Amino acid sequence: MKEPELVGIAQMAVTKAPEQICCMGLGSCVAVFLYDPTTKVGGVVHVLLPRAPQGAKVPTKYANTAVGKLLTEVLVKGARKEHLRAKLVGGAQMFPNLSISVSDIGKENCDEAKKALRQLGVRLAAEDILGTRGRSATFDLETGRVSISTAFSNSHFI
Amino acid sequence: MRPKDESKVLDIVGEFANVGAGNAATALGALLDIEIVNEVTSCNLLPLSKVAGWLGGAEQIVAGVYTQLCGDLRGGVLVILSGDSATSLIHHLTKEKPDLSKLTEIQVSALREIGNICLCWYLVAVSRMIDSDLIPAPPDATVDLLGAVLDLPLAHVGVKVDKVIAVHTVFKSFEKEFDGYFLLLPEEQMLDVILEKMGDGR
């Protein structure tokens, strides 16, 4: 079988079955997956930060701009908006005792991604977020399932 | 950064990190009573998506100790130890072989302290060279996938920039199975000070 395409920080991938796409080692980053089961078109964006500052050049880096960008791209690839559902993975707090961190970036990333999904009218079907453990997520466009593994546990699906 | 300056900037920052890492290796060696040397410093300007790959892949399990500088000069410093090195260091300090998948509070504390010593000595050398105070916040430690460990440091430095300067210094011991590296992620202003003090105003 073909190796899944790796999607790094601030990157986006849009494709269709039978491809697989993967975000490895998600900590406070959030992977937002969109999938249309009828056309088997979907994609992911690997978000680093919650909100884009003024003049930001890379929309796929920030939750509030990345989700809309991903939506546009999957629609271009042939997905139908009424069939789309979203899954969220990541948003962990990797260094919870770091005294200088005033905010929990992982949680903020999740909140902003959810807000963007709501505003765009895309249903959130499943999530595996927050906590203090990193995750790797592999998205199978054939089944629409996301396989999630962590450093010290067996993988599970959402 | 202007493209023509890039390699020169990387040379200066690399040289700089080397001295810091040498100092940290000496301190860690004294703590553990073994000889530790730092070997290679490499320095690169990378897009955020490529940092984990440059360090060997997001999927490896590593121990990471991270702190941010909280004075005038901002940046992040991360100490990364391979899983085996973290196990042997914690074992050495606590006299108990740890299971990295479920570290006890004492073991996390030992790991944090190892990282703290490395970070502080690294920063002492660096701050002498640029004649500015670098004030680290108390660090935190975790054992997880490298990609996950890198996320927060990259998020902190990546707010304004899409490419980061990453400085990577390997340290190792010949007596024991032991290796790790430092990752310095200076923010723009800190980078300016480094370049200015090292005799290369831009």
Side-chain angles (χ1 to χ4, degrees):
Chain A
M1 202 171 71
K2 219 178 118 189
E3 285 283 302
E5 180 186 349
L6 294 183
V7 182
I9 293 172
Q11 291 183 326
M12 178 173 73
V14 173
T15 184
K16 57 185 167 187
E19 301 293 311
Q20 297 194 344
I21 41 187
C22 173
C23 292
M24 287 203 303
L26 295 158
S28 56
C29 284
V30 170
V32 183
F33 296 92
L34 292 183
Y35 186 61
D36 170 0
T38 60
T39 56
K40 296 189 175 178
V41 169
V44 65
V45 64
H46 186 153
V47 168
L48 179 69
L49 289 158
R51 282 169 298 275
Q54 227 168 15
K57 290 191 193 73
V58 184
T60 49
K61 194 161 94 177
Y62 311 94
N64 71 334
T65 48
V67 180
K69 178 92 179 151
L70 177 63
L71 176 63
T72 308
E73 289 299 312
V74 294
L75 294 179
V76 167
K77 271 271 181 181
R80 301 263 303 275
K81 193 173 170 203
E82 61 272 28
H83 296 141
L84 278 180
R85 48 198 174 87
K87 292 182 180 179
L88 291 186
V89 180
Q93 198 177 14
M94 300 307 298
F95 296 101
N97 299 314
L98 199 65
S99 53
I100 199 171
S101 285
V102 284
S103 62
D104 178 351
I105 292 181
K107 182 169 187 312
E108 281 187 45
N109 282 339
C110 294
D111 291 347
E112 281 296 329
K114 286 183 186 180
K115 194 168 130 196
L117 288 170
R118 259 198 318 275
Q119 283 168 352
L120 296 165
V122 178
R123 187 170 67 92
L124 179 62
E127 62 180 31
D128 182 8
I129 56 170
L130 308 180
T132 56
R133 282 287 176 203
R135 301 165 173 92
S136 289
T138 307
F139 180 27
D140 183 348
L141 279 288
E142 189 57 54
T143 62
R145 293 203 300 175
V146 178
S147 157
I148 299 165
S149 58
T150 65
F152 300 106
S153 68
N154 295 325
S155 58
H156 63 281
F157 290 94
I158 61 166
Chain B
M1 196 182 317
R2 292 196 302 271
K4 67 182 166 83
D5 293 332
E6 196 177 294
S7 73
K8 182 142 200 201
V9 168
L10 293 180
D11 277 353
I12 292 172
V13 178
E15 174 56 36
F16 191 77
N18 231 351
V19 177
N23 213 28
T26 308
L28 189 59
L31 174 75
L32 300 171
D33 200 22
I34 52 177
E35 194 186 342
I36 294 177
V37 294
N38 63 309
E39 284 203 321
V40 199
T41 294
S42 47
C43 193
N44 217 334
L45 179 70
L46 297 162
L48 295 164
S49 61
K50 302 285 182 219
V51 179
W54 184 61
L55 297 171
E59 197 80 325
Q60 332 157 49
I61 293 176
V62 298
V65 184
Y66 172 61
T67 190
Q68 269 186 299
L69 303 176
C70 53
D72 291 341
L73 300 179
R74 297 298 180 96
V77 194
L78 186 64
V79 180
I80 299 276
L81 301 165
S82 66
D84 289 346
S85 303
T87 304
S88 93
L89 281 173
I90 295 169
H91 189 175
H92 186 97
L93 280 181
T94 62
K95 310 295 173 210
E96 207 178 19
K97 197 169 165 99
D99 173 358
L100 289 185
S101 69
K102 37 177 188 269
L103 292 179
T104 64
E105 207 163 307
I106 291 287
Q107 290 164 341
V108 174
S109 166
L111 182 60
R112 200 182 292 135
E113 198 46 46
I114 291 163
N116 198 18
I117 287 167
C118 293
L119 293 170
C120 288
W121 283 86
Y122 185 97
L123 291 171
V124 162
V126 166
S127 81
R128 264 189 216 134
M129 282 195 306
I130 57 174
D131 197 22
S132 300
D133 289 334
L134 298 174
I135 305 155
D140 196 12
T142 192
V143 176
D144 213 303
L145 306 169
L146 174 64
V149 170
L150 282 174
D151 271 4
L152 191 69
L154 291 178
H156 283 151
V157 77
V159 177
K160 290 179 211 133
V161 296
D162 300 316
K163 285 184 167 188
V164 295
I165 285 198
V167 191
H168 165 264
T169 310
V170 176
F171 51 98
K172 62 191 333 179
S173 151
F174 295 112
E175 300 153 58
K176 284 191 181 172
E177 183 70 27
F178 176 70
D179 64 304
Y181 52 84
F182 287 100
L183 192 68
L184 175 69
L185 299 165
E187 284 185 18
E188 185 79 25
Q189 194 201 354
M190 178 170 176
L191 197 56
D192 284 342
V193 171
I194 293 174
L195 296 177
E196 188 188 318
K197 294 281 162 85
M198 300 294 283
D200 185 89
R202 274 193 269 171

